[in-house]
């Protein structure tokens, strides 16, 4: 029989360890913060995820757009996803969206727990061909995953647990929104 109190303590300690370790990625957070700040007014940020990561992409996109002058787009409309998946195969739907709505020097953010989803890998390759400015990846599981290899700035969660990886990705992305909306963010946390 599982001891619920011990489970809760172990579960929360796991998050605390990962959040503490993420301070080591401070330079990457600052790099992404500065990159996002450059996207005020004219340029576009595109963000994608699958499943729970799609929900995170939507939340981040809305919060970033509502709290800054940064135009951040996610494409979680079911008719768009099913149309492009049907016409071009699921592994190509994001690439087709990028081709239709992306422009040179846009920023692409890809959220994938495994870093191995074919649609994310194809999207990164398409963004490179279209000369997007940068590709930011948020992954977990294997530190040397394929998506991370294609990204320019990569945030990685040291966990193989989907819920942990996805929750940390959400914390990190919303932290970036809070940094951007702060009038004078102190970058030395």
């Amino acid at each position: 029989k599982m001891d619920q109190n011990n489970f809760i303590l172990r579960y929360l300690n796991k998050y605390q360890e990962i959040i503490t370790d993420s301070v080591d990625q401070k330079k990457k957070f600052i790099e992404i913060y500065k990159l996002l700040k450059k996207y005020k007014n004219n340029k576009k940020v595109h963000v994608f995820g699958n499943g729970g990561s799609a929900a995170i992409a939507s939340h981040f996109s809305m919060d970033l757009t509502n709290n800054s002058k940064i135009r951040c787009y996610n494409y979680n409309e079911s008719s768009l996803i099913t149309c492009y998946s049907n016409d071009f195969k699921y592994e190509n739907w994001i690439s087709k969206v990028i081709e239709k709505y992306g422009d040179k020097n846009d920023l692409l953010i890809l959220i994938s727990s495994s870093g191995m989803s074919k649609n994310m890998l194809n999207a990164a390759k398409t963004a490179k061909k279209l000369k997007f400015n940068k590709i930011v990846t948020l992954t977990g599981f294997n530190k040397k995953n394929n998506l991370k290899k294609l990204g320019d700035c990569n945030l990685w969660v040291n966990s193989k647990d989907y819920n942990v990886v996805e929750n940390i990705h959400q914390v990190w992305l919303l932290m970036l929104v809070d940094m951007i909306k702060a009038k004078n963010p102190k970058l030395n946390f």
Side-chain angles (χ1 to χ4, degrees):
K1 190 173 181 179
M2 183 193 318
D3 179 2
Q4 292 88 7
N5 288 326
N6 283 334
F7 178 87
I8 292 167
L9 279 173
R10 284 194 322 272
Y11 194 82
L12 294 176
N13 282 336
K14 184 188 315 183
Y15 278 97
Q16 184 177 357
E17 287 172 21
I18 293 170
I19 292 293
T20 301
D21 287 345
S22 68
V23 173
D24 293 338
Q25 298 190 70
K26 179 170 59 170
K27 288 180 183 174
K28 292 179 185 178
F29 292 124
I30 294 169
E31 180 183 346
I32 296 168
Y33 164 82
K34 289 179 178 177
L35 186 61
L36 285 168
K37 292 285 278 186
K38 292 179 183 176
Y39 276 79
K40 285 188 174 181
N41 302 319
N42 303 344
K43 301 174 187 176
K44 296 178 297 216
V45 176
H46 308 268
V47 59
F48 294 91
N50 291 315
S53 296
I56 294 165
S58 292
H59 187 169
F60 170 72
S61 177
M62 290 306 305
D63 277 11
L64 184 63
T65 299
N66 285 337
N67 289 289
S68 70
K69 293 183 180 181
I70 299 169
R71 295 185 303 159
C72 185
Y73 300 94
N74 74 82
Y75 303 86
N76 289 335
E77 174 60 39
S78 62
S79 61
L80 181 141
I81 295 169
T82 56
C83 173
Y84 281 26
S85 294
N86 185 57
D87 292 352
F88 306 109
K89 297 185 182 175
Y90 187 77
E91 63 266 19
N92 297 314
W93 84 265
I94 298 173
S95 294
K96 290 300 177 182
V97 169
I98 290 169
E99 288 175 5
K100 301 275 185 194
Y101 298 101
D103 294 307
K104 182 180 176 182
N105 295 321
D106 281 355
L107 175 65
L108 179 62
I109 300 174
L110 299 171
I111 310 165
S112 172
S113 293
S114 70
M116 300 301 287
S117 302
K118 287 183 181 179
N119 60 352
M120 296 290 165
L121 299 171
N122 290 339
K125 292 171 187 172
T126 298
K128 286 184 180 292
K129 285 180 193 169
L130 295 174
K131 304 213 183 303
F132 270 47
N133 184 28
K134 297 274 183 188
I135 299 169
V136 174
T137 70
L138 289 93
T139 62
F141 296 17
N142 182 349
K143 191 171 187 171
K144 296 181 180 180
N145 66 70
N146 290 344
L147 186 58
K148 190 175 174 194
K149 292 174 186 174
L150 294 170
D152 299 303
C153 187
N154 308 290
L155 296 172
W156 176 75
V157 177
N158 186 9
S159 177
K160 292 183 180 355
D161 182 328
Y162 274 102
N163 285 339
V164 171
V165 172
E166 289 174 346
N167 282 321
I168 297 296
H169 285 165
Q170 178 147 320
V171 166
W172 287 347
L173 287 167
L174 296 181
M175 177 188 67
L176 288 164
V177 170
D178 286 339
M179 287 172 69
I180 288 167
K181 75 180 187 179
K183 292 187 188 221
N184 295 307
K186 294 181 181 177
L187 298 179
N188 300 326
F189 17 119

